[in-house]
Amino acid sequence: MGGGSGCRRRVPPAFAPGDVFRASRLSSGNHLFPTQVLISATSVVQYKPRWIGRQEEVIHMAHVASVKIDTGLVLSNIEIESSGGSDSILCHGHHKADAVKMKALIEQYQSDYYRSRPVAPIT
């Protein structure tokens, strides 16, 4: 939300509240239409713009199983695995600081999500 490396920007209120991380245009497959990842308190959304239309993948925060970061010299790739049976979200070409921030936000939102849920009594 503000500041940083310039790859992160606040999402317009009409789309959804949360943080958007945009892949570097220098990375493979992101030259014209860089992939964007929205991380909110409830879900992770990968947004891939195209010439005509777009592709979106969504994983609810309760279904995020793990977050893996593969770090290169300058850019990182992130894999967000789902426990809900859907495919993982693969994000290529994000700056290292953004990748670390993405993982930290997901972990924070998952902790908040599970802390706020009432615990069922054991019978």
Side-chain angles (χ1 to χ4, degrees):
M1 295 207 238
S5 65
C7 292
R8 183 174 49 243
R9 66 175 173 82
R10 185 81 175 130
V11 180
F15 180 59
D19 288 287
V20 170
F21 300 86
R22 183 179 297 158
S24 171
R25 289 185 182 270
L26 301 176
S27 61
S28 176
N30 291 309
H31 300 297
L32 292 176
F33 303 111
T35 297
Q36 299 175 37
V37 179
L38 165 72
I39 300 178
S40 71
T42 58
S43 61
V44 177
V45 181
Q46 183 183 35
Y47 175 85
K48 294 181 181 178
R50 298 182 176 173
W51 284 108
I52 299 174
R54 66 181 180 266
Q55 177 185 352
E56 289 184 23
E57 283 189 62
V58 181
I59 298 178
H60 190 276
M61 203 54 72
H63 296 289
V64 174
S66 67
V67 179
K68 298 177 185 177
I69 301 174
D70 179 22
T71 303
L73 186 60
V74 176
L75 301 176
S76 298
N77 300 324
I78 301 107
E79 180 178 4
I80 303 167
E81 293 183 334
S82 170
S83 63
S86 64
D87 292 336
S88 299
I89 291 179
L90 300 172
C91 312
H92 302 284
H94 290 273
H95 292 276
K96 289 181 186 181
D98 284 347
V100 171
K101 178 71 174 171
M102 289 167 71
K103 183 175 181 178
L105 279 171
I106 290 170
E107 290 171 349
Q108 174 192 341
Y109 288 141
Q110 279 189 317
S111 295
D112 294 346
Y113 175 80
Y114 287 112
R115 242 185 251 129
S116 66
R117 293 182 59 192
V119 177
I122 299 175
T123 56

